[in-house]
């Protein structure tokens, strides 16, 4: 585990964008694992800027997103499909057929999860997985649990996740209660993992996840044993480490 301390949000975003862009330059057909949430937005903004300057080319890149709400269509503004397109994909030259997110509008969980697991295999696994962290230690939507769920699966979101994500919806009641998420094995099999954490509300969980025991009660803690894991934290998120 490698920890990089950044000054602030924009420093964290630039450092992470540098790692992602190096991956794409060294391996133009890389499979990038993408994350949603507020934290990676600055990274995507930076990558778009470098793309517009002509420094980056995503034409051969494949993307695999971590998760999607269950029971929400691609067209919905709250879908992660929409989030990824408006914050990143629509502004760079990623080929639409190489963009992958779980099919949120399909309520048949077994079918969606099986297809997603198969898709990850068919693209040869993930070269670099970007992650944020939930205040309860979730990665993707792998919520605190008594076991590590391995493959893509359907989860019931915890109250704290619904609370944290309500800012993206008009009303708390509109936040879906379930989601499809890549499992812990899918994430751990990524060849490299890069996590970003920013802000004071992440300080406590950063300490628990990376300076505490490895436990499914704090899903992110498993990354301590990933062979190539980098955490970039800004000063506020690093306050307790
Ligand atoms: C959501 C996403 C996670 C993300 C988390 C934290 O629950 N499913 O992938 O890491 O939010 O989001 P934020 O970066 O906004 O704190």
């Amino acid at each position: 585990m490698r920890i990089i301390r950044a000054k602030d949000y924009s420093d964290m975003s630039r450092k992470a964008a540098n790692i992602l862009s190096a991956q794409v330059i060294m391996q133009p057909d890389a499979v990038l694992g993408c994350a949603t949430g507020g934290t990676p937005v600055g990274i995507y903004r930076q990558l778009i800027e470098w793309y517009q300057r002509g420094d980056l080319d995503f034409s051969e890149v494949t993307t695999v997103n971590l998760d999607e709400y269950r029971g929400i269509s691609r067209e919905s503004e709250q879908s992660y499909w929409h989030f990824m397109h408006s914050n990143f994909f629509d502004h760079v030259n990623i080929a639409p057929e190489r963009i992958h997110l779980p099919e949120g509008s399909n309520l048949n969980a077994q079918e969606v999860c099986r297809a997603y697991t198969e898709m990850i295999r068919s693209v040869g696994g993930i070269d670099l997985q970007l992650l944020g962290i939930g205040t309860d230690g979730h990665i993707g939507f792998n919520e605190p649990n008594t076991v590590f769920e391995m493959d893509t699966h359907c989860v019931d979101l915890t109250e704290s996740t619904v609370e944290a994500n309500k800012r993206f919806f008009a009303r708390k009641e509109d936040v879906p209660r379930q989601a499809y998420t890549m499992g812990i094995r899918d994430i751990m099999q990524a060849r490299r993992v890069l996590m970003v954490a920013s802000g004071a509300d992440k300080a406590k969980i950063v300490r628990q996840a990376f300076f505490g025991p490895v436990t499914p009660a704090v899903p992110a803690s498993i990354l301590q044993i990933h062979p190539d894991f980098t955490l970039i934290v800004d000063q506020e998120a690093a306050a307790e480490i």
Side-chain angles (χ1 to χ4, degrees), residues 36-40 66-67 80 132-134 138 140-141 161 165 167 202:
T36 54
T39 317
L66 283 165
D67 46 16
Y80 283 169
I133 183 169
H138 74 240
F141 269 132
T161 297
N165 287 354
R167 65 205 146 113
K202 297 289 169 69

Side-chain angles (χ1 to χ4, degrees), residues 24-229:
V24 173
I25 291 166
M26 299 297 279
Q27 189 191 357
D29 62 351
V31 177
L32 299 182
C34 293
T36 54
T39 317
V41 170
I43 301 173
Y44 296 138
R45 213 179 288 137
Q46 183 64 77
L47 291 175
I48 293 166
E49 198 185 309
W50 288 334
Y51 164 74
Q52 285 170 344
R53 269 205 237 150
D55 290 345
L56 284 176
D57 175 17
F58 294 94
S59 60
E60 290 176 52
V61 164
T62 294
T63 65
V64 174
N65 258 83
L66 283 165
D67 46 16
E68 178 60 282
Y69 291 113
R70 177 171 184 251
I72 217 165
S73 72
R74 288 178 172 184
E75 292 71 39
S76 161
E77 280 189 18
Q78 281 80 29
S79 72
Y80 283 169
W81 174 273
H82 180 88
F83 176 96
M84 285 308 301
H85 281 76
S86 61
N87 284 291
F88 187 36
F89 299 152
D90 285 349
H91 311 283
V92 295
N93 63 338
I94 286 181
E97 65 277 14
R98 292 210 193 91
I99 291 172
H100 304 280
L101 282 95
E103 191 63 62
S105 58
N106 185 350
L107 298 179
N108 184 336
Q110 222 188 350
E111 190 176 285
V112 175
C113 298
R114 200 185 300 133
Y116 212 66
T117 301
E118 187 42 45
M119 179 279 299
I120 296 171
R121 248 175 238 137
S122 75
V123 299
I126 296 162
D127 292 304
L128 175 55
Q129 176 66 56
L130 176 63
L131 292 175
I133 183 169
T135 48
D136 62 359
H138 74 240
I139 46 177
F141 269 132
N142 289 276
E143 297 282 28
N145 202 338
T146 49
V147 290
F148 288 113
E149 288 259 12
M150 294 300 181
D151 298 315
T152 303
H153 57 288
C154 181
V155 281
D156 294 325
L157 302 180
T158 60
E159 192 50 36
S160 82
T161 297
V162 171
E163 190 59 37
N165 287 354
K166 71 175 186 201
R167 65 205 146 113
F168 296 112
F169 293 79
R171 299 170 313 154
K172 186 176 170 188
E173 301 81 81
D174 298 337
V175 185
R177 298 287 156 154
Q178 287 189 314
Y180 298 127
T181 181
M182 265 166 51
I184 294 296
R185 174 167 43 208
D186 300 322
I187 295 171
M188 288 298 280
Q189 281 182 344
R191 288 176 268 282
R192 301 172 73 198
V193 179
L194 173 64
M195 176 181 277
V196 281
S198 163
D201 62 333
K202 297 289 169 69
K204 185 161 169 252
I205 197 64
V206 163
R207 176 172 50 77
Q208 280 172 4
F210 305 114
F211 293 84
V214 174
T215 163
V218 184
S221 64
I222 190 118
L223 295 164
Q224 290 182 37
I225 58 172
H226 189 283
D228 189 342
F229 170 57

